[in-house]
Amino acid sequence: MYAHGMMSPVVALIAWSLVMLIWLYATRIPAMGQAKIKPGNVTREQLDNALPKWATNPAHNYNHLMEQPTIFYAVCFALQFLHDGQPPTFVIGLAWLYVALRVVHSLLQSTLNIIPLRFLIFNIASIVLGVMVWNAAVACGMIAWSF
């Protein structure tokens, strides 16, 4: 899990994003059929209002996985290269923690969708990502202080 540095968590989150894409299709397409909605004939907002939450929540989560994780991917590659292929174990652990938090966030949003809990998990993941960015800034000499 740690032998390939930052690449394993990157691949894991990409794989999870594809799982969520399959979940999106597996819920949205049947729900659109039941509601007799033809693709392209409605706006996204109309679609969200016409379909049940169990069909829209996975789609919303998939969109979320295309947003903040782009920063995660960039910082992972930066850390991999800045540390000559093997970042410190602590930093790799942070990357795995971020992936785990995003998976939990996905599962929560796609099922129960308890907003305060989702918000908490998102914020913890954001802090983890911030620490990763901090470590990258230290590694490239932008910041002289590390913890």
Side-chain angles (χ1 to χ4, degrees):
M1 218 161 84
Y2 284 75
H4 298 288
M6 305 301 283
M7 296 303 95
S8 294
V10 164
V11 172
L13 191 54
I14 291 168
W16 178 253
S17 297
L18 293 175
V19 167
M20 288 308 303
L21 179 63
I22 292 166
W23 192 344
L24 176 164
Y25 287 141
T27 55
R28 185 168 269 198
I29 292 171
M32 288 176 68
Q34 289 173 356
K36 298 185 180 8
I37 297 172
K38 293 183 182 176
N41 290 345
V42 294
T43 66
R44 187 165 134 182
E45 184 176 296
Q46 290 170 328
L47 190 60
D48 284 347
N49 291 332
L51 297 180
K53 293 296 180 196
W54 59 263
T56 58
N57 287 346
H60 291 185
N61 184 262
Y62 178 76
N63 289 336
H64 294 165
L65 288 169
M66 299 300 114
E67 295 168 349
Q68 188 187 66
T70 59
I71 299 168
F72 171 77
Y73 299 132
V75 77
C76 283
F77 280 102
L79 285 162
Q80 185 74 21
F81 293 122
L82 287 167
H83 290 288
D84 296 323
Q86 193 56 37
T89 302
F90 168 73
V91 175
I92 299 169
L94 288 173
W96 279 112
L97 177 59
Y98 182 82
V99 171
L101 288 165
R102 291 309 305 220
V103 169
V104 169
H105 181 272
S106 292
L107 293 172
L108 183 61
Q109 182 174 12
S110 298
T111 58
L112 303 173
N113 201 24
I114 302 167
I115 307 271
L117 186 54
R118 252 185 60 210
F119 184 66
L120 175 65
I121 292 167
F122 177 80
N123 282 324
I124 294 169
S126 298
I127 291 166
V128 169
L129 185 58
V131 174
M132 291 172 64
V133 171
W134 181 275
N135 276 276
V138 169
C140 69
M142 291 176 62
I143 299 172
W145 182 79
S146 66
F147 49 90

